[in-house]
């Protein structure tokens, strides 16, 4: 019998643009949580409404029907089926960051792959963050190039985005290689490099999951992820997203914070971990 549950769940999944499909995904339940951040395609899409949007929705559908399996097995089976349905080339397969949590037999099991972030608040008041910086390191290289172009041409960074598209394509080609980064795609090649773990649920007070589109707020503010977790609990996700949107609007030239899009899709989940007898 399930002893622990996710409760007081707050979540949002907000597209960055009114004219493009949302390529993030969120799925919440009492005993499992899923957050995905699809990578926007750099080539014309083969699937509708976009390769990334199609991929995260198919992954959600297939994972939901395999939730009884071990996390890695459920993910591996789902990727095999998606690979059969993919209509594009192997070079242009869609990809996504993912955080997958499950409460089972008194433990919280987690799996993270790609540039999403997971924060766990422990009952002793400390915070434990799970993230992978590999893709962020490549992004910093591309953003430094963007700033160099802006300085050389006397323009704002946002005006120079077309000049770094080749760098972005080179970095995308490093997907699931030792010199690049690991992420979820239908090939499953990145899956062995997932960050996984299991922690007794009794030791956890709350969980906080974000895509990089939401956690961009801390790049504006300079705060730690544990600080963002605390604020999410106190202020709510919608309040933090409103703050982020305001900062993006005040930085429409990308001068304060160089980035690849004016506004990315933003997705987050925060929830308490509670024992059945403590539910009210």
């Amino acid at each position: 019998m399930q002893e622990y549950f996710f409760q007081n769940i707050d979540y949002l999944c907000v597209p960055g643009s009114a004219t493009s499909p949302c390529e993030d995904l969120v799925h919440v339940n009492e005993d499992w949580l899923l957050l995905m951040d699809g990578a926007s395609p750099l080539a014309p899409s083969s699937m509708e409404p976009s390769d990334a949007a199609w991929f995260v929705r198919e992954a959600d559908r297939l994972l939901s029907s395999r939730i009884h399996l071990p996390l890695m097995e459920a993910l591996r089976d789902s990727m095999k089926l998606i690979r059969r349905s993919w209509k594009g080339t192997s070079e242009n397969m869609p990809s996504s960051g993912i955080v997958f949590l499950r409460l089972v037999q008194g433990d919280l099991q987690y799996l993270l792959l790609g540039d999403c972030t997971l924060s766990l608040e422990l009952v002793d008041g400390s915070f434990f963050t799970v993230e992978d910086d590999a893709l962020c390191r490549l992004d910093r290289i591309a953003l430094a190039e963007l700033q160099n172009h802006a300085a050389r041409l006397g323009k704002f960074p946002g005006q120079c985005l077309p000049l770094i598209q080749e760098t972005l394509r080179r970095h995308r080609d490093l997907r699931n290689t030792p010199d690049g980064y690991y992420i979820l795609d239908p090939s499953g090649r990145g899956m062995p490099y997932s960050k996984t773990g299991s922690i007794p649920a009794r030791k956890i007070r709350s969980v906080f999951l974000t895509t990089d589109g939401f956690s961009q707020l801390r790049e504006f503010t300079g705060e730690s992820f544990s600080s963002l977790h605390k604020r999410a609990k106190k202020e709510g996700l919608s309040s933090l997203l409103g703050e982020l949107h305001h900062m993006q609007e005040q930085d429409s030239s990308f001068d304060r914070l160089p980035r690849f899009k004016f506004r990315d899709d933003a997705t987050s989940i925060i929830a308490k971990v509670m024992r059945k007898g403590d539910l009210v």
Side-chain angles (χ1 to χ4, degrees):
M1 181 180 294
Q2 185 72 6
E3 186 178 4
Y4 287 88
F5 298 89
F6 294 115
Q7 290 292 306
N8 301 113
I9 302 171
D10 183 15
Y11 67 94
L12 53 75
C13 184
V14 178
S17 168
T19 59
S20 299
C22 183
E23 294 169 335
D24 285 1
L25 181 135
V26 62
H27 196 147
V28 301
N29 291 275
E30 284 188 330
D31 52 0
W32 63 274
L33 305 173
L34 174 66
L35 177 145
M36 299 186 72
D37 181 4
S40 297
L42 298 178
S45 284
S46 300
M47 312 298 281
E48 293 291 339
S50 76
D51 291 347
W54 171 82
F55 178 54
V56 298
R57 285 154 182 73
E58 281 297 287
D60 174 46
R61 180 179 67 83
L62 293 166
L63 286 169
S64 297
S65 65
R66 289 162 176 76
I67 199 64
H68 59 286
L69 298 174
L71 294 186
M72 194 63 78
E73 184 179 346
L75 203 56
R76 184 170 54 248
D77 286 356
S78 298
M79 292 305 104
K80 286 180 180 178
L81 292 171
I82 289 176
R83 192 161 63 245
R84 294 174 190 168
S85 302
W86 169 241
K87 297 178 181 178
T89 65
S90 58
E91 293 80 9
N92 290 323
M93 279 193 295
S95 61
S96 175
I98 181 172
V99 187
F100 197 7
L101 302 186
R102 183 170 61 176
L103 289 165
V104 59
Q105 297 180 346
D107 290 331
L108 182 141
Q109 301 172 348
Y110 68 83
L111 180 150
L112 180 144
L113 184 58
D115 58 345
C116 300
T117 306
L118 165 65
S119 174
L120 304 175
E121 179 191 17
L122 306 184
V123 294
D124 64 7
S126 63
F127 289 82
F128 175 59
T129 301
V130 184
E131 57 187 339
D132 184 350
D133 193 52
L135 182 53
C136 294
R137 289 197 299 270
L138 291 175
D139 286 347
R140 286 194 289 269
I141 292 172
L143 290 171
E145 180 182 328
L146 180 68
Q147 289 177 291
N148 289 338
H149 284 306
R152 177 175 57 84
L153 298 172
K155 296 183 176 182
F156 290 116
Q159 297 172 299
C160 299
L161 287 170
L163 302 178
I164 64 167
Q165 293 307 302
E166 184 56 38
T167 297
L168 295 178
R169 280 189 285 269
R170 281 201 311 273
H171 289 176
R172 185 68 61 88
D173 289 342
L174 295 174
R175 177 179 63 190
N176 291 329
T177 67
D179 295 329
Y181 62 99
Y182 293 102
I183 200 162
L184 184 67
D185 71 14
S187 75
R189 285 192 294 266
M191 287 173 46
Y193 301 92
S194 303
K195 294 181 181 293
T196 60
S198 181
I199 301 172
R202 60 181 170 78
K203 294 186 176 183
I204 302 169
R205 181 173 293 151
S206 68
V207 299
F208 178 44
L209 300 70
T210 76
T211 61
D212 61 346
F214 186 92
S215 60
Q216 187 181 91
L217 178 59
R218 65 174 177 156
E219 297 178 54
F220 275 106
T221 63
E223 64 192 307
S224 67
F225 207 85
S226 60
S227 171
L228 198 63
H229 187 154
K230 292 174 186 175
R231 290 182 60 206
K233 284 183 62 181
K234 182 179 180 180
E235 302 171 33
L237 298 179
S238 295
S239 175
L240 295 187
L241 184 64
E243 181 181 344
L244 171 61
H245 283 179
H246 176 72
M247 291 181 172
Q248 290 167 337
E249 288 161 5
Q250 296 299 307
D251 186 39
S252 59
S253 63
F254 305 7
D255 197 33
R256 178 181 173 186
L257 183 69
R259 52 199 191 273
F260 303 129
K261 299 177 180 179
F262 168 67
R263 178 172 292 155
D264 197 2
D265 300 337
T267 301
S268 185
I269 309 169
I270 190 162
K272 291 182 178 179
V273 175
M274 299 180 70
R275 194 171 181 176
K276 185 176 182 180
D278 297 330
L279 301 182
V280 292

